[in-house]
Amino acid sequence: MGIKVAKFGGTSLAEAAQIRKVQAIVQSDAERRYVVPSAPGKRHAQDKKITDLLYLCHAHAQQAISFDQVFQIIADRYRQIVADLALKLDLSPHLMLVKERIAATAREGGGPDYAASRGEYLNGLIIAELLGYDFVDAADIIVFDAHGRFDSEATQALTSRRLAQHQRAVVPGFYGAKVDGSIKTFSRGGSDISGAIVARGVAAAVYENWTDVNGLLMADPRIVPDPLPMEVVTYRELRELAYMGATVLHDEAIFPVRKAGIPVNIRNTNEPAHPGTMIVRDADPVTHLGSITGIAGRKEFSVIAIEKAMMNAEVGFGRRLLGVLEDHGISYEHTPSGIDTMSVVVADSQIDGKLEKVLADIRVVCEPDTLEVYPHMALIATVGRGMAHTPGIAARVFAALAEARVNIRMIDQGSSEINIIVGVQNGDFDVAVRAIYAAFVKK
């Protein structure tokens, strides 16, 4: 099939037993030539993530408080993993250097990036030793500019050139280095980004993202009991679902592979036989006509509704209305409209403390006949490329909500027909999501 890059999350690497599973997964496929590990995550609910402990070390050092006790917990955790894996790897010099540099960085007024990155660095040394792979420090191939901004093209060139020298390698996730050599981390979840960068750098056939679930789910499991996983989702559908609140890969985490047209496979370390979710190019053929891909939504919106006779003949009306929001630094979500009506959907967090002034300015600038605000709204997106090719999808959504006695306060559907968004009261949110899911998924 071609080169595979396998990124493993913190739960997959929390202890030796989990790491053995990772070893078996990697060794079961010779094409898994590049591995991107996270730092060890929680072993149980009361446990601490290594990264959190490292942040704590830096915070203590900044305040000139001893972090010996916290660092000892970190050191003991890694030494236990090495011992349980029966590796002949002496981490002592690495641990000593890390501790010294955390203290020095804090004294010099540096940020927590170096400390935070060491969880992945130390775990990378262990995984490389276990697999017999080369260790390539992410600081040597992932580039940030002097302002701490990720340099995509410089990284691509360097990653491609350096990794071509290694048939098999472990590259720690989450961090890189600025041009002056100082460590810079991505935002939380940055190991996903690192894996995508490596996948693009080696022109991988697929980027595998191993975690603790069987792929991405069609709905929030806190609302819908045991929702089915998505078998296939496009990058575009993924963006729609993520935007509407679904817990999926961040845009930054898939941009490098999306740009290169590399599919992403979300897999479960604990159930490696499960195919998981495949994230594919938007141009790939639609395989599931008449079905949806997923459902996602968010609460706490308000709808500002304007009505004015002959609005459609008034050139620039929409620009003036949206200009008021711009003047107040407010971004909007949707703008459903009719011949004499226009509504603007905004997140409550955007208009907190600004609403009365915004309404006053709208009255002055737009001179509406009526101006009303509908608070406590939730938006629900039903997403799927197959929807555009099948009559009756919208009818099924609306019928399901009617049967569940959910009042629809707003409807919005783009011309692409990749999603249907409905607005309901906050209190109807969970019922509405379950009703839509049940209308399309038969168990």
Side-chain angles (χ1 to χ4, degrees), residues 75-123:
D76 288 347
R77 178 96 171 262
Y78 279 113
R79 288 192 176 107
Q80 186 64 55
I81 290 173
V82 170
D84 290 346
L85 292 173
L87 297 177
K88 295 178 180 179
L89 174 66
D90 184 7
L91 281 181
S92 296
H94 300 283
L95 290 165
M96 185 181 302
L97 178 61
V98 168
K99 186 177 181 182
E100 290 173 353
R101 286 197 58 185
I102 289 175
T105 302
R107 282 196 306 271
E108 295 162 4
D113 294 61
Y114 173 78
S117 71
R118 296 305 88 181
E120 279 74 12
Y121 176 83
L122 293 167
N123 225 21

Side-chain angles (χ1 to χ4, degrees), residues 157-369:
L158 191 55
T159 301
S160 179
R161 184 170 67 252
R162 285 291 304 276
L163 292 182
Q165 302 169 21
H166 302 271
Q167 283 296 305
R168 301 182 182 279
V170 171
V171 182
F174 188 39
Y175 71 93
K178 293 198 282 190
V179 290
D180 63 1
S182 60
I183 296 298
K184 180 73 177 73
T185 59
F186 291 104
S187 58
R188 277 299 182 98
S191 290
D192 290 336
I193 305 173
S194 301
I197 290 167
V198 172
R200 183 187 177 203
V202 300
V206 64
Y207 166 37
E208 296 180 336
N209 193 302
W210 293 83
T211 180
D212 57 357
V213 294
N214 288 331
L216 307 177
L217 301 176
M218 288 186 65
D220 189 336
R222 295 169 296 184
I223 299 173
V224 176
D226 300 318
L228 294 177
M230 305 179 203
E231 294 179 5
V232 179
V233 59
T234 66
Y235 289 119
R236 188 173 168 207
E237 289 169 315
L238 189 71
R239 177 167 167 73
E240 292 283 351
L241 291 165
Y243 172 70
M244 288 304 297
T247 305
V248 295
L249 292 177
H250 193 277
D251 275 354
E252 292 179 10
I254 63 172
F255 177 76
V257 284
R258 180 177 186 176
K259 188 172 184 178
I262 299 170
V264 181
N265 194 189
I266 309 298
R267 304 284 292 274
N268 188 347
T269 304
N270 300 312
E271 293 188 42
H274 195 286
T277 299
M278 188 66 78
I279 305 169
V280 301
R281 298 175 304 165
D282 303 324
D284 284 6
V286 176
T287 57
H288 298 290
L289 296 179
S291 65
I292 64 172
T293 299
I295 306 163
R298 291 186 286 156
K299 297 181 182 180
E300 308 305 334
F301 291 94
S302 291
V303 178
I304 301 174
I306 300 96
E307 184 173 352
K308 186 176 185 180
M310 301 299 293
M311 179 191 296
N312 67 309
E314 194 170 324
V315 177
F317 185 89
R319 176 185 55 79
R320 294 197 299 276
L321 172 60
L322 297 179
V324 172
L325 300 183
E326 182 181 3
D327 291 342
H328 288 273
I330 296 170
S331 62
Y332 67 94
E333 308 291 330
H334 303 278
T335 55
S337 62
I339 191 169
D340 289 327
T341 61
M342 185 171 181
S343 298
V344 182
V345 183
V346 294
D348 288 346
S349 59
Q350 289 280 322
I351 57 172
D352 186 30
K354 301 178 181 179
L355 181 58
E356 292 306 318
K357 187 66 172 69
V358 168
L359 296 178
D361 287 355
I362 290 174
R363 290 188 181 97
V364 171
V365 172
C366 298
E367 299 179 331
D369 295 335

Side-chain angles (χ1 to χ4, degrees), residues 139-150:
D140 294 334
I141 60 173
I142 295 180
V143 183
F144 292 84
D145 67 18
H147 301 286
R149 295 174 299 212
F150 173 59

